[in-house]
């Protein structure tokens, strides 16, 4: 699987560290009840199909990416920098 890093170009997935679903970056508030933190840290979906995931380019530019991919076919639809995504919100 090749991931299109916006800074380095297409790279082998072994250069990256998979961190999980994109929504993991949406943390509960600091004063949220323990149940919210437990769900955030431990409960995960395992979808088959199109997903948006966090990847860290560990052996490259050290950028965090959101990669849109299909978990069944391993097709990559695109990638964007997390830093740029936050600037558009």
């Amino acid at each position: 699987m090749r991931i299109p890093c916006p800074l380095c170009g297409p790279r082998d997935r072994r250069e990256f560290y998979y961190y999980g679903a994109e929504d993991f970056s949406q943390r509960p508030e600091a004063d949220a009840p323990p149940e919210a933190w437990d769900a955030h840290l431990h409960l995960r979906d395992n979808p088959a199909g199109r997903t948006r995931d966090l990847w860290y380019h560990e052996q490259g530019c050290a950028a965090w990416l959101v990669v849109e991919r299909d978990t069944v076919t391993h097709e990559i639809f695109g990638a964007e920098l997390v830093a740029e995504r936050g600037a558009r919100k």
Side-chain angles (χ1 to χ4, degrees), residues 23-28 35-44:
D23 60 0
F24 188 72
S25 63
Q26 299 164 2
R27 300 167 49 121
E35 297 80 17
W37 280 100
D38 181 54
H40 174 72
L41 294 171
H42 303 291
L43 301 179
R44 298 277 184 270

Side-chain angles (χ1 to χ4, degrees), residues 14-78:
R14 291 174 289 192
E15 289 189 13
F16 297 85
Y17 175 79
Y18 172 76
Y19 203 77
E22 173 192 27
D23 60 0
F24 188 72
S25 63
Q26 299 164 2
R27 300 167 49 121
E29 296 294 325
D31 59 350
E35 297 80 17
W37 280 100
D38 181 54
H40 174 72
L41 294 171
H42 303 291
L43 301 179
R44 298 277 184 270
D45 290 333
N46 189 16
R50 205 161 178 155
T51 63
R52 292 177 55 84
D53 303 318
L54 291 172
W55 292 76
Y56 176 65
H57 198 176
E58 185 174 47
Q59 296 178 20
C61 61
W64 282 95
L65 309 177
V66 174
V67 177
E68 189 168 353
R69 68 188 182 102
D70 190 303
T71 60
V72 176
T73 65
H74 302 293
E75 180 180 358
I76 302 288
F77 301 103

